Amino acid sequence: MSRLEVHQIPVLNDNYVYLARCRATGATGVVDPAVAEPVLAEAERLGWRITHILNTHHHGDHTGGNLEIKQATGCTIVGPKADRDRIPGIDVEVDEGDRYTMGEAEAEVFFVPGHTRGHIAYWFAESDALFCGDTLFALGCGRLFEGAPAQMWDSLSKLKRLPKTAKVYCAHEYTQANARFALSVDAANDRLKARAEEIDRLRAAGTPTVPSTLGEELATNPFLRADAPDLAAQLGLSGADPVEVFAEVRGRKDRF
Ligand code: ZN
Ligand code: FE
């Protein structure tokens, strides 16, 4: 049985905050609390006791609730070592390859810089759950605020190696806009076309498109397909290095 029970809380315009509860112990982590109030209220409603905050990076829409939640619950704040000075209230610093255990649920930490220079992701293998913040989105990836294309491609390549069944719990509902862009660079991709239609149906019904699975992303997310010859060909970059293809896709998205 999956060790984690995950509850998704939509906040602000398009952020998702997650409550991840270890079924065996009741330990509950909040992933990237943009805000405190709705998170505390939802935990209360569920009867879940918040014991941890897991931050992926320092941006305010991922850490804005840190101090208030810590004050209300006495929880432990876990965050990226490389960003220790930018994570409010950080107690435990983690880095590439570290394993952090919350209750009995173990997360492997990946250092995935690019969106920010300290970004990390949490991989709960037993639960098939990846919390990747603003590094990988459904059909997209984070803007390169503090990193270069080669670095982001390297970060995404770490995530590409996880099982296809991995659930991708990203931090924003950007999927519909991402789909429109993806179709502009990968129009020949039938699975992408079908997925884009499905996303339109889900959004029209007000249903989240997150989490997706890594398998879906590998097949349809143009940022993960920078090493796919058929995508490179559509961009006029046949034979180019994946980093060059990735940079082209990222650049086009920035101007889309
Ligand atoms: Zn961010
Ligand atoms: Fe964000």
Side-chain angles (χ1 to χ4, degrees):
M1 187 169 85
S2 162
R3 287 183 178 277
L4 280 183
E5 192 173 353
V6 179
H7 184 78
Q8 184 174 39
I9 309 171
V11 300
L12 306 179
N13 273 340
D14 52 33
N15 275 78
Y16 287 127
V17 176
Y18 298 99
L19 291 174
R21 177 179 178 274
C22 168
R23 292 176 198 268
T25 62
T28 299
V30 186
V31 182
D32 282 355
V35 289
E37 189 57 38
V39 175
L40 291 168
E42 197 63 4
E44 170 91 24
R45 189 184 70 78
L46 293 165
W48 292 6
R49 191 173 57 85
I50 294 171
T51 53
H52 294 77
I53 288 172
L54 306 179
N55 289 129
T56 63
H57 67 297
H58 75 286
H59 283 158
D61 63 318
H62 299 255
T63 59
N66 271 25
L67 295 179
E68 198 178 328
I69 293 171
K70 184 175 183 174
Q71 189 167 36
T73 64
C75 69
T76 298
I77 300 182
V78 183
K81 181 178 185 138
D83 258 339
R84 53 188 292 179
D85 297 331
R86 301 195 290 182
I87 302 289
I90 190 168
D91 296 300
V92 179
E93 300 163 13
V94 292
D95 203 352
E96 172 76 18
D98 285 349
R99 289 173 187 275
Y100 186 79
T101 304
M102 185 183 78
E104 291 180 4
E106 185 185 70
E108 182 178 349
V109 176
F110 295 109
F111 182 51
V112 287
H115 175 66
T116 66
R117 62 176 181 267
H119 205 302
I120 58 172
Y122 299 89
W123 165 237
F124 288 87
E126 291 160 310
S127 307
D128 236 2
L130 174 68
F131 296 98
C132 51
D134 289 355
T135 293
L136 174 62
F137 293 126
L139 288 178
C141 78
R143 270 181 188 266
L144 303 185
F145 287 120
E146 300 178 355
Q151 194 178 35
M152 188 60 144
W153 175 247
D154 186 56
S155 294
L156 291 173
S157 295
K158 292 179 188 174
L159 305 183
K160 270 163 70 81
R161 291 193 282 268
L162 296 174
K164 286 190 169 135
T165 49
K167 290 182 282 293
V168 178
Y169 291 102
C170 62
H172 292 273
E173 178 65 61
Y174 289 160
T175 319
Q176 197 167 28
N178 285 345
R180 282 196 290 275
F181 169 73
L183 287 167
S184 79
V185 291
D186 195 12
N189 186 333
D190 288 333
R191 281 190 67 180
L192 172 60
K193 281 185 258 184
R195 188 177 175 195
E197 284 171 20
E198 173 65 9
I199 286 160
D200 287 342
R201 272 194 295 277
L202 290 169
R203 295 311 294 154
T207 307
T209 64
V210 175
S212 60
T213 65
L214 186 63
E216 282 180 274
E217 297 308 325
L218 290 170
T220 56
N221 185 324
F223 297 97
L224 294 189
R225 282 172 35 73
D227 54 356
D230 65 307
L231 179 65
Q234 291 181 77
L235 295 166
L237 291 171
S238 286
D241 188 272
V243 171
E244 193 184 331
V245 178
F246 175 80
E248 175 66 21
V249 176
R250 189 59 252 177
R252 289 192 188 203
K253 176 69 165 69
D254 292 343
R255 299 185 297 270
F256 188 69

